[in-house]
């Protein structure tokens, strides 16, 4: 029996958030456990669901995604928080801005980042 990968999405743009949720829910073996549009609500979601993967936008309206993930990691026993892998999303167009944000996040936050691009 295959266990679903549990995913949480924290993204302030509703179209992006809804699109990701819909697309992921269509995939066999993936379960979206929740989604939120702000860092404060996202932190509550991560703490209550402890997902396998958290997809977190860097640019959230109340706090940035780096803060959110740092708070999540600090709020739980290290082994529990470390089990959640993080994908940081960014709409920063300049590569240097992305690298700076990601380097700030790496020690406590994520294992990957993905640029959001509209074509």
């Amino acid at each position: 029996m295959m266990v679903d990968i549990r995913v949480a999405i924290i993204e302030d743009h509703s179209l992006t958030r809804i699109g990701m949720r819909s697309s992921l829910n269509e995939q066999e073996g993936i379960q979206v456990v929740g989604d939120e549009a702000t860092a404060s609500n996202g932190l509550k979601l991560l703490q209550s669901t402890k997902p396998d993967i958290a997809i977190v936008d860097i640019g959230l309206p109340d706090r940035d995604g780096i803060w959110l993930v740092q708070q999540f990691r600090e709020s739980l026993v290290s082994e529990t928080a470390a089990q959640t892998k993080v994908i940081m999303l960014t709409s920063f167009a300049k590569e240097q801005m992305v690298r700076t944000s990601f380097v700030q996040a790496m020690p406590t936050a994520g294992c990957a980042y993905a640029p959001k691009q509209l074509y």
Side-chain angles (χ1 to χ4, degrees):
M1 182 170 98
M2 189 166 114
V3 177
D4 284 350
I5 297 170
R6 300 170 58 253
V7 179
I9 302 167
I10 297 94
E11 163 63 59
D12 61 320
H13 294 100
S14 58
L15 185 59
T16 304
R17 188 178 63 253
I18 292 166
M20 280 192 291
R21 182 181 62 215
S22 296
S23 181
L24 289 170
N25 275 331
E26 290 177 3
Q27 305 304 311
E28 186 176 329
I30 296 177
Q31 174 193 10
V32 176
V33 295
D35 61 87
E36 291 292 347
T38 65
S40 57
N41 289 339
L43 179 58
K44 293 174 191 170
L45 174 65
L46 294 183
Q47 289 170 330
S48 66
T49 62
K50 298 173 189 69
D52 300 310
I53 297 174
I55 301 173
V56 181
D57 187 10
I58 289 176
L60 296 168
D62 54 343
R63 295 281 197 126
D64 66 45
I66 295 167
W67 174 88
L68 160 66
V69 177
Q70 288 171 336
Q71 293 301 306
F72 172 62
R73 301 270 178 169
E74 291 171 10
S75 72
L76 299 174
V77 177
S78 61
E79 297 84 37
T80 303
Q83 291 175 359
T84 298
K85 303 303 179 207
V86 179
I87 300 170
M88 303 294 293
L89 296 177
T90 181
S91 59
F92 293 138
K94 295 185 178 177
E95 187 175 346
Q96 186 58 41
M97 292 176 79
V98 172
R99 287 183 187 204
T100 300
S101 295
F102 189 65
V103 167
Q104 288 174 345
M106 274 302 286
T108 59
C111 54
Y113 77 88
K116 292 189 287 185
Q117 296 178 331
L118 298 175
Y119 294 99

